[in-house]
Amino acid sequence: MAEAAGLYYELHGAKNAPPLILSSGLGGSADYWKPNLVAFAEHFRVLVYDHRGTGRSDRALPDVVTVEHFADDMLALMDAVGWARTSIVGHAAGGVAGLALALKAPERLDRLVVVNGWAKADPHFLRCFEARLNLLRHSGVEAFLRAQPIFLYPARWISAHTAELDAELPHQVAAFPGVATMEKRIAALAAFDATGRLKGLDDRTLVIVADDDMLVPSSAGELLCGELGRGTFSVLPGGGHACNVTRPDAFNRSALAWLTHTELEE
């Protein structure tokens, strides 16, 4: 186990390969990237980590958590492993954390891939999280986690993987970071607003969306590209919010083509 600044992390890939951080969404787990890790580690020295407050990282959080705190943690990990610059692939919370890092320390970012992210919280996104928080507050952790796949995956994928999802549930309940932590992390995502501050990042930012994302509508990615001024926009036809899990091959091709400076496949 490697740890720095209270954060659990792992390194994969050749030591002399270009650096890349994979940052997960609300759940915060390094394990979220298992379907993608081998493909990315063929090209990069990959760092995956558990977000602060989750998993194997320090569970203590300040009274108020912000997306800028998420960015600070990535910078702390970069310092710990001796990286002056890195590329970042961030899913949802990890993507907006990458944007926050780019605003705070642009000299430390090479390229950024934002997956199903946003410049400002979308009304539908806020409605979904209001419903999820009500489940958590009034029906408990198990009900919250049992409903989670509805927001993450396409219906057909859930039907085909129900046995796996049911088997994972007890482990998710046991590892749940706590109601207060989840409330703070959701509040940070809801409050993030980079409107009017992202110009100049367009040439090094790829925005990937899934056209059937139930949680963050693809229009939020379109608006993010508008805030960037241009950016590169890639639409996956299907896959849901966790499209890197449900369609890993298509996701890996799209992200890696851009990160490695080759043409994006149509």
Side-chain angles (χ1 to χ4, degrees):
M1 172 178 174
E3 182 273 337
L7 298 164
Y8 171 90
Y9 72 93
E10 302 170 5
L11 288 167
H12 299 266
K15 291 183 178 180
N16 62 347
L20 174 70
I21 292 175
L22 301 181
S23 185
S24 60
L26 180 65
S29 175
D31 294 339
Y32 175 75
W33 297 102
K34 282 183 177 179
N36 319 104
L37 190 54
V38 170
F40 282 91
E42 289 179 1
H43 302 271
F44 294 94
R45 180 67 164 169
V46 179
L47 187 153
V48 292
Y49 68 105
D50 290 348
H51 287 205
R52 190 176 304 278
T54 75
R56 295 150 287 190
S57 290
D58 186 351
R59 292 295 185 97
L61 292 177
D63 290 340
V64 177
V65 176
T66 67
V67 169
E68 287 71 23
H69 289 139
F70 301 169
D72 289 341
D73 282 342
M74 283 197 282
L75 289 169
L77 288 169
M78 290 172 64
D79 291 341
V81 298
W83 290 353
R85 290 172 63 89
T86 188
S87 292
I88 297 169
V89 177
H91 177 261
V96 297
L99 293 171
L101 185 150
L103 291 171
K104 182 170 188 173
E107 73 283 357
R108 305 202 65 179
L109 177 69
D110 186 5
R111 304 196 119 196
L112 172 63
V113 180
V114 180
V115 186
N116 291 328
W118 58 91
K120 180 179 180 179
D122 178 88
H124 175 76
F125 163 89
L126 295 174
R127 185 183 297 271
C128 288
F129 271 106
E130 181 183 6
R132 294 180 73 184
L133 283 172
N134 278 323
L135 276 173
L136 183 59
R137 292 165 181 158
H138 304 300
S139 299
V141 171
E142 184 169 340
F144 174 85
L145 292 171
R146 189 171 289 280
Q148 184 166 262
I150 298 170
F151 298 95
L152 297 184
Y153 310 121
R156 289 171 62 92
W157 193 92
I158 293 173
S159 294
H161 295 82
T162 291
E164 297 165 44
L165 295 171
D166 287 346
E168 289 173 5
L169 184 62
H171 304 288
Q172 292 174 334
V173 171
F176 190 72
V179 175
T181 291
M182 196 59 66
E183 295 244 16
K184 289 176 182 180
R185 286 174 61 76
I186 290 173
L189 300 180
F192 179 73
D193 186 355
T195 303
R197 297 190 289 145
L198 298 175
K199 302 294 185 187
L201 296 176
D202 58 320
D203 62 342
R204 49 179 167 160
T205 304
L206 168 66
V207 178
I208 297 179
V209 301
D211 63 5
D212 63 346
D213 189 341
M214 166 62 184
L215 183 60
V216 181
S218 58
S219 56
E222 295 171 2
L223 291 172
L224 172 56
C225 273
E227 287 293 326
L228 290 164
R230 180 172 52 86
T232 303
F233 192 59
S234 178
V235 180
L236 290 182
H241 187 62
C243 56
N244 59 297
V245 173
T246 61
R247 300 195 63 205
D249 291 343
F251 173 83
N252 294 345
R253 282 196 302 271
S254 182
L256 283 169
W258 189 81
L259 285 168
T260 56
H261 304 269
T262 58
E263 288 187 10
L264 282 170
E265 295 184 7
E266 296 297 331

